[in-house]
Amino acid sequence: MKRVVSASLGSSKRNHQVITNLLDEEFTIERIGTDGDFDKAKAMLRSLDGNVDAIGLGGIDLYLYADGKRYAIRDAKKLYDVVLKTPVVDGSGLKNTLEREVVRYLAHDAGLSLSDKKVLMVSAVDRFGMAESLHELGCDILFGDLIFALNLPIPIHTMRSFRVLAKALLPIVTKLPFKILYPTGSKQEKEPSESYTRYYRDADVIAGDYLFVRKYMPRDMKGKWILTNTTTAADVADLKERGVEYLITTTPVFNGRSFGTNVLEAALLALLGKSWEEVTPQDYLDVLKKLDYKPRIEKLN
């Protein structure tokens, strides 16, 4: 049996474990949170190194992307460098392939037209493939990177402006302590603030990282679509209560839980038997096709 573990900086309350079969191979897939404790995360990575088939780096991205260029987050690199033997991924490779394909599938196969939708993309630098695909479909996108990551009420309305700003800021932002950019540990359990309700009210679709989606999510989400992943059963119940119409997760559901892209990418890497550097986007697309993978589309209201 292959074992894949996501070592996450996130809350341990979101831990999950499943046993599943992928292309006739048994897998144990597990997510273990370290409540924002970097030292604890490093210790876990050392203990997993050489003892599992692949590791996902959760609750933090190793790379952020803008217009074909990638920037390493300094704190994530410190975690990544701890692992010397086992393949380790952060999910960014899959985001750049799977999530582009999900947008295409929704528009062309699932009959969920997105081209006429107003989209609030809570963070595009960690999901550049999704952002580009939505832009290519003709969606009216508000890029919320400055709002959701830095709490600066500056909406970006065009892809061109987003690209220029991302190129200017990412070399600086990626050097900041990660806890400034993204909720870790117990901050993930904090009740959403309604500071930026107007951006949700004006959007038809809220897309991107779920903890960013939740960060400023208002009580009234009637008729909204959420395009994300990593939702727990409690998250789904909360979205239903708020009136969300559709929940679409880009990663599959295992026992009621959609894992993060880092977990799925680690599982695919274990299936492919390649190092991260050797895997191509086509490798991911080919194995996803063999798995007959489809995004989860759940009508909540």
Side-chain angles (χ1 to χ4, degrees):
M1 180 181 288
K2 291 188 182 294
R3 184 183 179 207
V4 170
V5 177
S6 169
S8 175
L9 278 177
S11 169
S12 56
K13 291 181 179 177
R14 299 175 75 85
N15 285 357
H16 198 58
Q17 181 183 35
V18 298
I19 296 175
T20 190
N21 186 293
L22 300 175
L23 300 181
D24 297 326
E25 289 213 56
E26 292 291 313
F27 275 75
T28 298
I29 300 176
E30 185 174 8
R31 182 266 191 200
I32 306 173
T34 56
D35 298 313
D37 188 327
F38 266 81
D39 291 334
K40 194 173 175 181
K42 281 184 179 178
M44 191 199 311
L45 289 166
R46 287 191 189 96
S47 71
L48 293 170
D49 192 18
N51 295 309
V52 298
D53 293 280
I55 297 171
L57 207 53
I60 189 168
D61 289 314
L62 177 58
Y63 296 114
L64 297 179
Y65 290 81
D67 208 16
K69 191 168 181 181
R70 72 180 189 181
Y71 302 83
I73 293 179
R74 185 162 59 185
D75 278 349
K77 189 71 168 52
K78 292 175 185 173
L79 295 175
Y80 181 80
D81 288 344
V82 166
V83 183
L84 303 176
K85 302 171 188 170
T86 300
V88 56
V89 296
D90 70 343
S92 60
L94 205 53
K95 286 176 185 172
N96 201 35
T97 50
L98 166 72
E99 296 197 334
R100 289 178 187 275
E101 181 61 17
V102 166
V103 171
R104 188 208 64 76
Y105 177 85
L106 293 174
H108 299 291
D109 297 318
L112 292 177
S113 175
L114 291 166
S115 58
D116 59 343
K117 300 293 185 188
K118 296 180 74 173
V119 177
L120 169 58
M121 188 88 207
V122 290
S123 173
V125 290
D126 74 326
R127 281 186 151 77
F128 197 72
M130 180 187 286
E132 276 198 328
S133 299
L134 291 168
H135 175 67
E136 287 164 8
L137 276 179
C139 296
D140 180 359
I141 304 176
L142 188 158
F143 298 90
D145 294 67
L146 293 178
I147 301 167
F148 289 82
L150 299 175
N151 195 18
L152 296 174
I154 305 173
I156 305 165
H157 291 283
T158 68
M159 176 62 87
R160 184 175 179 279
S161 297
F162 166 72
R163 284 173 169 150
V164 170
L165 198 63
K167 280 184 177 177
L169 291 181
L170 280 178
I172 302 166
V173 166
T174 49
K175 304 293 187 298
L176 295 174
F178 188 68
K179 62 184 179 183
I180 292 177
L181 305 174
Y182 187 78
T184 59
S186 61
K187 290 181 182 175
Q188 296 183 356
E189 307 301 325
K190 193 176 172 184
E191 277 301 303
S193 157
E194 298 203 7
S195 303
Y196 298 115
T197 296
R198 62 188 182 280
Y199 299 125
Y200 289 81
R201 187 177 58 238
D202 293 343
D204 303 305
V205 180
I206 321 299
D209 178 273
Y210 184 68
L211 290 176
F212 272 153
V213 169
R214 186 178 178 277
K215 189 174 183 181
Y216 299 117
M217 187 162 60
R219 178 53 53 188
D220 182 8
M221 290 283 285
K222 187 177 180 182
K224 307 298 182 187
W225 296 7
I226 305 292
L227 175 57
T228 187
N229 66 11
T230 327
T231 51
T232 66
D235 294 329
V236 176
D238 183 46
L239 292 172
K240 186 177 175 66
E241 189 179 314
R242 291 173 191 265
V244 168
E245 183 181 12
Y246 277 109
L247 170 63
I248 301 150
T249 60
T250 60
T251 49
V253 174
F254 297 107
N255 295 347
R257 169 70 181 275
S258 68
F259 283 108
T261 49
N262 74 90
V263 186
L264 185 57
E265 186 171 354
L268 298 188
L269 207 65
L271 267 179
L272 290 165
K274 293 184 175 182
S275 71
W276 199 17
E277 293 75 18
E278 292 172 324
V279 177
T280 66
Q282 192 59 49
D283 287 331
Y284 285 135
L285 292 174
D286 288 345
V287 74
L288 287 166
K289 188 175 181 180
K290 287 178 185 173
L291 288 165
D292 193 26
Y293 168 71
K294 300 287 189 303
R296 163 213 204 166
I297 303 171
E298 188 170 353
K299 195 169 193 312
L300 300 181
N301 288 287

